[in-house]
Amino acid sequence: MKIRASEKTLGAYVEEADLTDLSDAEWKELKKAFLEYAVLVLPEVFLTTSQQERFSERFGKLDILTGNPLIKSLYVCNVNESGEVLPMDDENFRIVRGNEYWHTDSSYMRISAKVSCLSALTLPDSGGETQWADMRAAYDELDQETRNRIEHLSAYHSFYFSQETLGQRVEVGSKYGFHRDGAPLRTLVKVHSETGRPALYIGRHAYRIPGLLDQDARELLSYLMDFACKPPRVFEHKWNLGDFVMWDNRCVLHRVRPYDYSQPRIMRHTRVKGDEQTEGAPMTKSEQPPYGLSAPE
Ligand code: OGA
Ligand code: MN
């Protein structure tokens, strides 16, 4: 297997690896590269659904995002079940467009994601690149004053909040498994359970910091996001059909770039659940959301 680092602080390309038939030594090598680069791209490997699912399961238990335990892959796409491109005002389309803003997967769930994997099944002619930003390198580059300021701070993460900022009311307890139990509270600095490296843990779902006025919390979060998601900490992948990418949600943010929304874009997503001990978060019911929705029951 050949592993070639990108020129950024994260991201590497893996060639000549058969993900469907890895020896123990190869898996060890791949896992080591994954922990080092946080994003691995395997060009044009054309995994089948079950091959992708089986490979993803090497990292841990899959998060069921479809509501059906037998269906482990989620199609992140702008088409309906008949393959027709969704209109701009479609509710699901607006949820998919939320992916255009820097985030880490499932940070609004009680247990956030460990790893996510994507395969490119259908692509628009242009645009639709995916970018990842390195929150370890971002933390390393923070000045001491900022580090001291955020050291003991935590933020609530909410999907209702992040969609509301895009003008979409998401019904509490509606599909996608959004919790009814309140919002998880997560430290702004996350120490990686496998590498021990600290990383900023932020993204578009983070919205309120206990001990700070909401206005100050928003300013701090947006300052950190702007600072963090800058070169050389941003790795971009321009997709070809059959490409497969895996990333570490514990230490990177990601987003998709705009594309021609009249053309179909279909990605197969598998998500590995985080570990209870390190990705589980306390849930708070009592916080009144600041964004117009009543608190989840
Ligand atoms: C995701 C996601 C980005 C993309 O699948 O979690 O954010 O490029 N996707 O589709
Ligand atoms: Mn995502």
Side-chain angles (χ1 to χ4, degrees), residues 76 99 103-106 116 205 247 249 254-255 269 271:
V76 175
N99 288 340
H103 66 284
T104 181
D105 288 337
S106 297
S116 293
H205 307 301
W247 69 87
N249 283 297
H254 63 282
R255 67 172 177 181
H269 179 122
R271 189 173 301 178

Side-chain angles (χ1 to χ4, degrees), residues 178-192:
F178 305 135
H179 52 80
R180 286 174 173 280
D181 309 329
L185 183 62
R186 304 184 178 282
T187 56
L188 290 190
V189 181
K190 182 173 176 68
V191 175
H192 197 289

Side-chain angles (χ1 to χ4, degrees), residues 75-136:
Y75 293 89
V76 175
C77 61
N78 63 340
V79 302
N80 66 17
E81 278 162 17
S82 321
E84 295 154 351
V85 172
L86 298 170
M88 294 295 277
D89 60 354
D90 180 90
E91 199 185 322
N92 290 319
F93 180 70
R94 293 175 68 168
I95 286 177
V96 172
R97 285 205 63 192
N99 288 340
E100 292 178 17
Y101 302 86
W102 289 114
H103 66 284
T104 181
D105 288 337
S106 297
S107 70
Y108 49 83
M109 300 293 284
R110 192 181 73 75
I111 298 181
S112 60
K114 179 189 285 185
V115 177
S116 293
C117 302
L118 274 187
S119 286
L121 304 188
T122 302
L123 293 169
D125 292 334
S126 68
E129 301 85 0
T130 306
Q131 297 180 331
W132 292 267
D134 190 343
M135 297 298 111
R136 311 164 300 182

Side-chain angles (χ1 to χ4, degrees), residues 49-256:
T49 304
S50 60
Q51 286 170 341
Q52 176 170 344
E53 291 170 356
R54 213 164 312 149
F55 172 75
S56 305
E57 280 170 340
R58 282 184 171 262
F59 288 103
K61 213 169 151 22
L62 296 191
D63 221 344
I64 301 300
L65 302 166
T66 58
N68 180 344
L70 298 176
I71 304 177
K72 297 176 176 175
S73 295
L74 177 77
Y75 293 89
V76 175
C77 61
N78 63 340
V79 302
N80 66 17
E81 278 162 17
S82 321
E84 295 154 351
V85 172
L86 298 170
M88 294 295 277
D89 60 354
D90 180 90
E91 199 185 322
N92 290 319
F93 180 70
R94 293 175 68 168
I95 286 177
V96 172
R97 285 205 63 192
N99 288 340
E100 292 178 17
Y101 302 86
W102 289 114
H103 66 284
T104 181
D105 288 337
S106 297
S107 70
Y108 49 83
M109 300 293 284
R110 192 181 73 75
I111 298 181
S112 60
K114 179 189 285 185
V115 177
S116 293
C117 302
L118 274 187
S119 286
L121 304 188
T122 302
L123 293 169
D125 292 334
S126 68
E129 301 85 0
T130 306
Q131 297 180 331
W132 292 267
D134 190 343
M135 297 298 111
R136 311 164 300 182
Y139 179 81
D140 291 347
E141 290 298 319
L142 284 178
D143 59 73
Q144 195 57 44
E145 193 188 327
T146 308
R147 279 198 198 176
N148 293 344
R149 181 164 182 225
I150 65 173
E151 196 184 347
H152 299 294
L153 296 180
S154 294
Y156 288 105
H157 290 245
S158 165
F159 186 80
Y160 307 114
F161 164 76
S162 49
Q163 285 306 108
E164 177 90 1
T165 62
L166 303 181
Q168 185 183 37
R169 287 276 169 108
V170 177
E171 210 187 305
V172 171
S174 63
K175 59 182 181 172
Y176 298 99
F178 305 135
H179 52 80
R180 286 174 173 280
D181 309 329
L185 183 62
R186 304 184 178 282
T187 56
L188 290 190
V189 181
K190 182 173 176 68
V191 175
H192 197 289
S193 57
E194 294 183 84
T195 65
R197 270 189 87 174
L200 278 178
Y201 195 83
I202 50 178
R204 72 186 195 100
H205 307 301
Y207 75 96
R208 169 176 278 178
I209 296 177
L212 261 55
L213 294 171
D214 280 348
Q215 179 66 18
D216 295 343
R218 302 285 179 79
E219 275 170 24
L220 176 60
L221 290 166
S222 91
Y223 165 77
L224 292 172
M225 185 109 104
D226 287 350
F227 173 83
C229 301
K230 279 205 168 70
R233 297 183 285 275
V234 178
F235 170 70
E236 177 173 287
H237 183 56
K238 195 168 166 25
W239 296 89
N240 283 312
L241 287 181
D243 289 354
F244 179 74
V245 180
M246 62 189 99
W247 69 87
D248 192 337
N249 283 297
R250 296 167 291 188
C251 58
V252 302
L253 295 180
H254 63 282
R255 67 172 177 181
V256 61

Side-chain angles (χ1 to χ4, degrees), residues 284-297:
T284 298
K285 279 190 190 181
S286 57
E287 294 269 329
Q288 185 62 29
Y291 42 89
L293 292 168
S294 56
E297 305 271 300

